[in-house]
Amino acid sequence: MHQSVNIFSNVQILKLVGSCFFLNLLIPRATEYTTNTVILSLPAPLVLFFWVVIGYASKERHLLERLEDKLIPLRGPPCCWFCLCCPKLPFSKQRFKVVKACIYQFFLTPVILFIIATVCSKYGVFKELKFVPDNAAPYLVGLNFASFFIGVYGLVIFMKTTSKLLHGFHIHGKFLSLQLQFILVRFHFFTFDTLGRLGFFPCHPPVSSLMTALYIRSALLLGEGFILSVVGRFFFLHAPPPHFVSVVDTTHPINQNA
């Protein structure tokens, strides 16, 4: 039941993101509001993915019990270069809490940074894309990137730790479909905004270079989002393994003694 609610919430959030891109094409002046909505809501599906995986075990404590004798792989993107020499650590509840905190901050940090940026802009100490020491933009952008790396790294560790335990639930496919959506949106936001402000795209008054970039960005993201939604739908709505039983917690496959 809980995983069904989380999957439904995931779908609704992705619909909201797609609606924002479509609204950008219809009402370009609403770009600022729709962009903020997308940035703030986009990490939510990845956090819900964390809840979905826990839902497969019925309860968090059941999952922790089955992971007690497992190892936590520290090698994984996007921090694979820093953790290349790190050994696998034995699983513990304390380490799970750290991973859990990394995942939760993935959603909370952008909200906090958005509030800080709004307050700073009111006092004139925040100007977007102005990277000078007396402006808050470089510091907030740096914190945002740090939050992204920590959050994705925590999700990758969690996925690798639970994927073998939940064999048959297509954990990798579900995670990749959500992660690609997030990465593509952030990449397009940064790339097209930068190119538009630099005048890379043609300017046909009253349509500026930046406006052309926003049109292209929204159209691309609509198409890419549709493709990823179809792929994600396949994985999330795929039939569970034959041995999956969700009626009684004690009969769940990962809650049974090996």
Side-chain angles (χ1 to χ4, degrees):
M1 177 64 181
H2 292 294
Q3 55 262 39
S4 300
V5 173
N6 290 330
I7 292 172
F8 177 77
S9 301
N10 255 337
V11 173
Q12 297 306 313
I13 293 172
L14 294 179
K15 284 182 179 179
L16 173 64
V17 172
S19 300
C20 289
F21 296 144
F22 184 69
L23 189 61
N24 281 344
L25 296 174
L26 297 179
I27 311 175
R29 291 186 178 182
T31 299
E32 180 181 356
Y33 303 102
T34 55
T35 299
N36 290 332
T37 302
V38 170
I39 291 176
L40 294 177
S41 61
L42 204 56
L46 290 169
V47 178
L48 288 173
F49 165 80
F50 172 73
W51 292 348
V52 167
V53 175
I54 291 179
Y56 291 145
S58 298
K59 293 181 180 180
E60 183 176 315
R61 61 183 178 86
H62 293 155
L63 182 64
L64 296 180
E65 290 172 0
R66 296 296 295 160
L67 290 173
E68 284 182 354
D69 58 341
K70 306 298 181 182
L71 295 176
I72 301 178
L74 297 181
R75 299 179 185 179
C79 302
C80 50
W81 292 108
F82 301 101
C83 303
L84 191 60
C85 300
C86 293
K88 293 183 178 180
L89 298 177
F91 180 85
S92 67
K93 292 183 179 180
Q94 289 73 22
R95 292 191 174 103
F96 178 78
K97 289 180 180 179
V98 174
V99 174
K100 190 176 180 180
C102 292
I103 296 173
Y104 281 170
Q105 68 80 33
F106 192 36
F107 174 74
L108 295 175
T109 301
V111 177
I112 296 173
L113 293 180
F114 175 76
I115 296 173
I116 294 175
T118 303
V119 174
C120 290
S121 63
K122 295 293 183 181
Y123 289 94
V125 294
F126 173 78
K127 292 183 179 180
E128 193 175 2
L129 298 179
K130 186 179 180 181
F131 300 104
V132 293
D134 58 346
N135 187 36
Y139 309 107
L140 295 181
V141 170
L143 290 174
N144 205 356
F145 271 105
S147 171
F148 165 76
F149 279 105
I150 293 173
V152 172
Y153 183 58
L155 284 165
V156 170
I157 290 177
F158 177 73
M159 179 196 66
K160 286 188 172 184
T161 306
T162 58
S163 58
K164 291 183 179 180
L165 189 65
L166 295 171
H167 178 71
F169 286 90
H170 304 281
I171 300 297
H172 286 87
K174 294 172 182 178
F175 176 69
L176 286 177
S177 62
L178 295 175
Q179 186 187 29
L180 282 175
Q181 177 84 1
F182 180 86
I183 292 176
L184 283 175
V185 170
R186 297 305 296 262
F187 174 76
H188 285 332
F189 273 14
F190 176 78
T191 303
F192 283 95
D193 286 0
T194 303
L195 293 177
R197 294 177 189 276
L198 293 176
F200 179 82
F201 296 99
C203 177
H204 301 288
V207 180
S208 64
S209 175
L210 179 59
M211 191 62 62
T212 303
L214 295 178
Y215 274 120
I216 298 174
R217 184 192 74 182
S218 299
L220 280 175
L221 287 173
L222 272 176
E224 293 166 354
F226 174 76
I227 295 173
L228 289 175
S229 297
V230 173
V231 175
R233 179 183 176 86
F234 168 78
F235 287 115
F236 276 96
L237 299 183
H238 197 277
H243 56 270
F244 175 67
V245 180
S246 59
V247 178
V248 183
D249 290 348
T250 56
T251 61
H252 195 285
I254 76 167
N255 297 329
Q256 296 174 352
N257 294 326

